[in-house]
Amino acid sequence: MRYFTGFLVSVGLIILILVIILKSGGSSNHPQPINLNSYANSDATVQLTIDGPINADQIHQSIQISIGRSESRSQLFQGYQGNIKTTNIYQNNQDAYTVFLHALNLVGFTKGNSDPKLSDERGYCPAGERYVFELTESGDIERYWATSCGSQGTYGGSVIKTLDLFKKQIPDYNSIANNFVL
């Protein structure tokens, strides 16, 4: 009888361990990355926001670059409430958008940590910049962020390469950036 009870306890422990392992294996903060190439024929846009240093509302600025299938747009915002200071719109086409999405895929644009506890970038890197990377189509599909202060954020791709790709989508980015207060 003692062996039978020990056998039942052993089987119960094995079942408990299996249940714990199976449940913990399904709750990862690192889901499979989205393939951006699948959005080339859609109305989805990819977006970069560069939020400047934390300073007075009167001098705070941010730049937003949005790239879609038919247009690319850059906007310079003034203050924390996002008042538009300037907007520049450029025509885009299907082929350019497809190549751009593929390049973003290669630099890891869709890689990151989607843990909701880490989703708010406000206040990080106060003397530097915060970068927000988004994929949207009728609302957010994916949103990650990083900073110019090092390894802070949720973005898992190459920050430098991603920034460079976005800036190169705007023909007069350098003249727009000259109006950006650092």
Side-chain angles (χ1 to χ4, degrees):
M1 184 68 172
R2 186 176 354 152
Y3 292 115
F4 183 71
T5 305
F7 173 75
L8 288 179
V9 170
S10 297
V11 169
L13 285 174
I14 290 171
I15 291 172
L16 180 63
I17 290 171
L18 287 174
V19 168
I20 290 172
I21 289 172
L22 291 175
K23 283 191 176 195
S24 67
S27 62
S28 173
N29 285 333
H30 304 286
Q32 286 297 96
I34 292 171
N35 182 354
L36 282 179
N37 298 330
S38 66
Y39 288 92
N41 294 318
S42 72
D43 291 330
T45 60
V46 286
Q47 186 170 282
L48 163 68
T49 303
I50 303 172
D51 192 22
I54 297 172
N55 48 18
D57 185 58
Q58 295 81 357
I59 59 174
H60 184 76
Q61 291 184 330
S62 59
I63 294 176
Q64 189 172 80
I65 299 171
S66 301
I67 310 298
R69 186 173 46 157
S70 61
E71 76 174 29
S72 299
R73 176 185 303 247
S74 69
Q75 292 183 294
L76 182 62
F77 296 95
Q78 182 71 48
Y80 288 96
Q81 294 179 333
N83 299 317
I84 298 172
K85 188 173 178 182
T86 60
T87 299
N88 298 301
I89 300 174
Y90 313 88
Q91 284 189 334
N92 203 8
N93 61 62
Q94 181 71 48
D95 293 336
Y97 187 54
T98 300
V99 171
F100 178 64
L101 289 178
H102 187 65
L104 285 177
N105 230 11
L106 293 173
V107 299
F109 186 81
T110 60
K111 294 178 182 174
N113 186 342
S114 57
D115 184 349
K117 292 179 242 166
L118 303 173
S119 66
D120 190 357
E121 77 282 350
R122 295 176 300 168
Y124 284 90
C125 189
E129 298 173 338
R130 283 150 310 288
Y131 311 116
V132 178
F133 307 98
E134 296 176 274
L135 169 62
T136 62
E137 185 179 38
S138 303
D140 276 351
I141 296 174
E142 179 169 90
R143 183 181 189 281
Y144 298 120
W145 63 275
T147 72
S148 63
C149 295
S151 63
Q152 297 172 328
T154 60
Y155 189 61
S158 171
V159 174
I160 292 170
K161 290 177 182 178
T162 306
L163 292 173
D164 189 50
L165 279 168
F166 269 95
K167 290 174 183 179
K168 287 181 177 176
Q169 298 304 300
I170 305 300
D172 56 348
Y173 178 81
N174 289 335
S175 65
I176 294 166
N178 287 337
N179 294 321
F180 190 63
V181 177
L182 295 176

